[in-house]
Amino acid sequence: MEIKIKNVKEQLHSAGFKLTPQREVTLKILLENKNSHLSAEDVFLRVKEEYPEIGLATVYRTLELLSDLQILEKMNFGDGVSRYDFRKTGTKHFNHHLICVKCGKVQEVEDDLLSDVEKIIEHEYGFMVMDHRLTFHGVCRECQLKEDTNETD
Amino acid sequence: MEIKIKNVKEQLHSAGFKLTPQREVTLKILLENKNSHLSAEDVFLRVKEEYPEIGLATVYRTLELLSDLQILEKMNFGDGVSRYDFRKTGTKHFNHHLICVKCGKVQEVEDDLLSDVEKIIEHEYGFMVMDHRLTFHGVCRECQLKEDTNETD
DNA sequence: GTGTGTGCAAAAGATTTGCAGGGCT
DNA sequence: AGCCCTGCAAATCTTTTGCACACAC
């Protein structure tokens, strides 16, 4: 369940790559911000605090490498930047996201709610589903409460 | 059901904008390529054939304007470019997309398959859903047939 | 010494913006 | 005249790439 750096190190080695200090710090930051869907820039800034010599290109290369190895998932919420987070292993990596249009928070939904929908797609459209992305835009619980209290919107 | 330029013209006027020749050609191209999910560049190149003086910035501005007016929907399939298509009016604009990883074709699913899922999200997560994006990645019927015939992949 | 990985700077690609000019009212 | 709209070029932003150097085996 828990992702460990040691674990990733083995995956890197078995694919012929090394766990360099830069990659290790990057991984550490990602582990500390699990489910935060950081952008490359976000990761870069945080890694830089701990490893100031790092270059943005290295962060991009690391994020791409880890995505290729299916350790990270690269996703895109339509705001022009790619965001990265650990790919869930147990759940067939079928996560959904709830994006609050008020506060911008991104919340994960780990339940797989789409198996029925997928069956329909496969039967009705003859489309063999390999993966899916589901994003809901709306207002999160906290912002709904805030709105009720403070009607200044 | 059918979108007409005249109709859009009225929407523009009531919002204080004009239907310029550039905007009209852009609309015409979009109408001719409904459900094709053209990128700004795609639209630009096609408009240019008919209206060579147009600038790319104008196309961007038109696409943004029409998206603001909820005539177009701006979407993003994670390939780094925004794509545009008419927003479906009848269907609560809840369309889903099937993206074929073999041939790149994007197919529309107009059925609303998510009303049950949405209820779960609202009840379980207290999240007020306003819109959603659902994309399936997989292999379309045609490419599956091609693969069966020609096992050269 | 061969190869991988890095930092920097430059390049590339998509989109936005500043500005002067054009047309309509 | 005033205002909206346009084309062009420049600017911006994200991401990728080229290159020389460093480090490991």
Side-chain angles (χ1 to χ4, degrees):
Chain A
M1 198 85 246
E2 203 50 26
I3 298 149
K4 296 214 184 63
I5 295 209
K6 200 181 150 196
N7 192 326
V8 174
K9 184 173 182 176
E10 282 166 22
Q11 286 188 67
L12 282 168
H13 281 169
S14 63
F17 301 102
K18 295 167 195 163
L19 182 64
T20 62
Q22 289 91 334
R23 288 177 183 163
E24 186 160 356
V25 177
T26 303
L27 269 166
K28 186 170 152 289
I29 294 299
L30 286 164
L31 278 169
E32 285 170 8
N33 293 279
K34 235 184 291 186
N35 295 348
S36 302
H37 311 90
L38 301 180
S39 67
E41 187 83 24
D42 293 336
V43 175
F44 173 62
L45 290 174
R46 291 171 206 224
V47 171
K48 219 171 159 53
E49 289 175 16
E50 185 150 340
Y51 196 106
E53 323 86 281
I54 200 162
L56 179 55
T58 301
V59 171
Y60 270 105
R61 283 187 280 232
T62 300
L63 293 172
E64 197 188 337
L65 174 62
L66 295 174
S67 299
D68 288 349
L69 294 179
Q70 318 230 353
I71 293 164
L72 297 181
E73 184 170 6
K74 181 179 183 175
M75 56 199 112
N76 196 309
F77 296 134
D79 59 351
V81 295
S82 295
R83 300 177 176 280
Y84 301 82
D85 230 317
F86 288 99
R87 187 155 176 172
K88 297 293 183 304
T89 44
T91 55
K92 232 182 146 195
H93 65 269
F94 280 0
N95 318 294
H96 318 313
H97 296 104
L98 309 182
I99 304 183
C100 179
V101 298
K102 297 276 177 188
C103 66
K105 194 179 61 189
V106 181
Q107 187 179 352
E108 293 263 339
V109 179
E110 300 212 7
D111 311 330
D112 187 3
L113 306 167
L114 288 186
S115 37
D116 291 345
V117 174
E118 245 170 57
K119 285 198 195 82
I120 296 173
I121 296 290
E122 303 205 334
H123 291 150
E124 304 275 314
Y125 293 84
F127 187 89
M128 188 175 70
V129 176
M130 295 165 59
D131 197 358
H132 64 228
R133 292 291 145 86
L134 175 57
T135 310
F136 290 96
H137 296 253
V139 184
C140 72
R141 202 197 305 264
E142 289 71 32
C143 288
Q144 286 176 52
L145 294 174
K146 248 181 269 168
E147 267 178 33
D148 291 344
T149 323
N150 157 25
E151 285 291 322
T152 341
D153 194 21
Chain B
M1 200 85 245
E2 202 50 26
I3 298 149
K4 295 214 185 63
I5 294 209
K6 200 181 151 198
N7 192 325
V8 175
K9 183 174 181 175
E10 282 166 22
Q11 287 188 66
L12 282 169
H13 282 169
S14 64
F17 302 101
K18 295 168 194 162
L19 182 64
T20 62
Q22 291 92 333
R23 287 177 183 163
E24 187 160 357
V25 177
T26 303
L27 270 166
K28 186 170 150 289
I29 294 298
L30 286 164
L31 278 169
E32 287 170 6
N33 293 279
K34 234 183 291 186
N35 295 349
S36 301
H37 311 91
L38 300 180
S39 67
E41 186 84 24
D42 292 337
V43 174
F44 173 63
L45 290 174
R46 291 172 206 224
V47 171
K48 219 171 159 54
E49 289 174 16
E50 186 150 339
Y51 196 106
E53 322 87 281
I54 201 163
L56 180 54
T58 301
V59 172
Y60 270 105
R61 283 187 280 232
T62 301
L63 294 172
E64 197 188 337
L65 174 61
L66 295 174
S67 300
D68 287 349
L69 294 177
Q70 318 229 353
I71 294 164
L72 297 182
E73 184 171 5
K74 182 178 182 175
M75 57 199 110
N76 196 308
F77 296 133
D79 59 351
V81 294
S82 294
R83 301 177 175 279
Y84 301 82
D85 230 318
F86 288 99
R87 188 157 176 169
K88 297 293 183 305
T89 43
T91 54
K92 232 182 146 194
H93 67 269
F94 281 180
N95 318 293
H96 317 313
H97 295 103
L98 310 182
I99 304 182
C100 180
V101 298
K102 297 276 177 187
C103 67
K105 194 178 63 187
V106 180
Q107 188 179 353
E108 292 262 341
V109 179
E110 300 210 7
D111 310 331
D112 186 4
L113 306 167
L114 289 185
S115 37
D116 291 345
V117 175
E118 244 169 58
K119 285 198 194 85
I120 296 173
I121 295 292
E122 304 204 334
H123 290 150
E124 303 275 313
Y125 293 84
F127 188 89
M128 189 176 69
V129 176
M130 295 166 58
D131 197 358
H132 65 226
R133 292 292 144 86
L134 176 57
T135 310
F136 290 95
H137 297 253
V139 184
C140 72
R141 202 197 304 265
E142 290 70 32
C143 287
Q144 287 176 51
L145 293 173
K146 248 181 269 167
E147 267 179 31
D148 291 344
T149 324
N150 158 24
E151 284 292 320
T152 342
D153 193 21

